Amino acid sequence: MLVTKQPAFKRFWYPVIPMTELSDRPVPFELLSQPIVLWLTAEGKPAAVEDKCCHRTAKLSLGKVIDGNISCAYHGWTFNACGECVHVPQISEGTISSSYKVKAYPCVERYGYAWVCLGEPLIDIPNITEAFDPDYRQIHEFYETWNCAGLRVMENELDMAHPTFVHTTTFGSEDHLTPDSMEFQEKEWELHYRSTLGVTNPKEQQDNLKMEEEKTVRTIDGVWFMPFTVKLKIAYPNGLVHIIVNTMTPINDSSSQMVQFCLRNDTEADTKSSDIIAFDRAVTLEDKRILESTDYDIPLELNKEQHMLTDKPGIIIRKKVAAFLKAHGEIEQTVNC
């Protein structure tokens, strides 16, 4: 499956840039191989349009923001958040033609990021309830390009058999090759997953978790949101909850923008954000090394790759994606067990 060959993926919301990177200048981004440009309106809200002026196709991202609108660097044509041309310097009198416009995309702020949908949204942005809970603090962690398919990362996040072999310097335990339990609940646009896994607890993590034990148990409540967002709620025996929210925003078929933040039910005085980010950074780099070696053209036909019991979350995900694409007339093959 190649994401750019499936138009239905354009009808989902994706976080494309942290709001902190949007200020007084336009910022380019490639979403599902579509060049777009983002900026802040006069009201401080994010806006997104096609990164191509309708006059002579120059990139609008080379321009500047004037009074909350984006102005082309080539001839100064200026467009609002709806893509309408509101100023042509070379026209001193008369009405600007309604055909002078660029394609605009739905764009909103959520969780500190500008989210964009390239089509008519099928569903809302994933609801992360803890982000609105005063008992949790939000820590923005990573925003970077990974050279792999987002679906591979989604499967990896719910794969409890890889930590022993991949996370050898962080939390993987040779004594726990598989989780002690796995439970699943499917919803129309989601997969809920619960498991328990024995893990190691290195010195760096002992400080973060306020636990001196060298071994502990993670209880993981995961939610996969179609198509490329996952929430992992990791609970520890001492009551600490560490929630990872990861979206692999599809840049093109072979690369994804990794957007990750975490939520914790402790305070900065308990554990420094920099220490939490440092440990999660070590974990993600272990994943990145492996995942960037995988094929980005992921087969939805299950007989194209081999599987084992702990692959069940990924198998469910592939089936749901295949059913979704089939319902939208984009694939015809039956996905067999």
Side-chain angles (χ1 to χ4, degrees):
M1 180 193 74
L2 299 175
V3 290
T4 66
K5 304 301 186 291
Q6 314 295 337
F9 285 133
K10 294 182 178 181
R11 300 187 63 186
F12 291 95
W13 290 97
Y14 303 101
V16 299
I17 192 168
M19 290 296 295
T20 53
E21 295 193 16
L22 290 176
S23 55
D24 58 350
R25 62 183 180 87
V27 180
F29 191 85
E30 182 183 350
L31 179 59
L32 286 163
S33 291
Q34 172 62 53
I36 63 175
V37 58
L38 297 94
W39 75 96
L40 290 180
T41 68
E43 295 74 32
K45 297 183 181 299
V49 301
E50 183 178 10
D51 194 7
K52 184 171 67 174
C53 183
C54 64
H55 177 219
R56 288 297 182 268
T57 74
K59 288 186 176 296
L60 291 172
S61 56
L62 297 176
K64 56 186 176 181
V65 178
I66 300 177
D67 297 329
N69 299 315
I70 188 167
S71 180
C72 182
Y74 198 5
H75 296 92
W77 288 30
T78 303
F79 304 87
N80 63 18
C82 296
E84 302 163 338
C85 186
V86 295
H87 178 60
V88 177
Q90 296 79 15
I91 299 177
S92 58
E93 297 181 1
T95 302
I96 297 174
S97 171
S98 60
S99 66
Y100 290 11
K101 60 184 178 182
V102 295
K103 187 172 180 58
Y105 303 104
C107 183
V108 298
E109 177 184 356
R110 193 76 56 87
Y111 314 125
Y113 296 88
W115 293 65
V116 175
C117 182
L118 294 180
E120 182 67 26
L122 287 169
I123 56 175
D124 197 7
I125 294 170
N127 183 26
I128 311 300
T129 56
E130 291 84 358
F132 308 100
D133 187 333
D135 291 334
Y136 286 84
R137 57 172 167 147
Q138 182 173 339
I139 302 170
H140 299 279
E141 293 194 309
F142 314 120
Y143 177 76
E144 62 194 21
T145 300
W146 284 27
N147 296 315
C148 65
L151 196 58
R152 293 283 188 197
V153 181
M154 298 296 98
E155 293 183 344
N156 177 77
E157 295 280 27
L158 300 182
D159 172 10
M160 294 300 118
H162 81 279
T164 298
F165 302 94
V166 176
H167 300 297
T168 56
T169 67
T170 52
F171 67 91
S173 170
E174 293 183 358
D175 299 328
H176 298 274
L177 293 171
T178 58
D180 296 328
S181 63
M182 295 191 301
E183 300 174 15
F184 310 91
Q185 180 185 8
E186 292 186 55
K187 296 190 177 182
E188 183 178 7
W189 301 102
E190 302 170 7
L191 169 63
H192 292 238
Y193 171 61
R194 182 179 177 85
S195 70
T196 56
L197 179 69
V199 298
T200 60
N201 194 24
K203 183 61 172 64
E204 299 86 347
Q205 187 71 329
Q206 289 177 29
D207 295 338
N208 289 344
L209 302 179
K210 301 303 182 229
M211 295 172 58
E212 297 181 358
E213 296 83 358
E214 294 183 356
K215 297 181 179 180
T216 187
V217 175
R218 284 182 168 189
T219 300
I220 301 103
D221 285 291
V223 182
W224 167 69
F225 301 91
M226 189 181 291
F228 307 124
T229 295
V230 70
K231 168 189 171 185
L232 292 181
K233 187 173 185 178
I234 305 169
Y236 293 94
N238 65 352
L240 178 69
V241 176
H242 181 86
I243 299 171
I244 294 172
V245 180
N246 175 285
T247 299
M248 298 304 289
T249 297
I251 297 173
N252 50 45
D253 287 327
S254 62
S255 60
S256 308
Q257 191 74 10
M258 191 262 222
V259 178
Q260 180 170 308
F261 61 89
C262 74
L263 299 143
R264 303 255 301 199
N265 64 341
D266 62 357
T267 67
E268 185 71 18
D270 295 323
T271 311
K272 293 181 180 179
S273 297
S274 57
D275 293 338
I276 295 168
I277 294 171
F279 185 80
D280 283 354
R281 168 81 290 179
V283 173
T284 57
L285 288 179
E286 290 173 324
D287 282 323
K288 186 173 187 282
R289 173 178 172 268
I290 297 297
L291 290 168
E292 288 195 329
S293 74
T294 62
D295 293 340
Y296 58 83
D297 188 358
I298 302 176
L300 296 181
E301 306 96 323
L302 299 185
N303 59 4
K304 298 296 184 181
E305 293 182 346
Q306 306 308 309
H307 311 280
M308 59 183 177
L309 179 62
T310 50
D311 294 323
K312 187 171 181 180
I315 291 172
I316 294 174
I317 287 173
R318 291 194 196 191
K319 285 184 175 181
K320 289 182 74 67
V321 170
F324 164 74
L325 294 176
K326 186 176 182 180
H328 283 76
E330 296 186 13
I331 61 172
E332 296 180 358
Q333 65 268 26
T334 300
V335 179
N336 299 313
C337 296

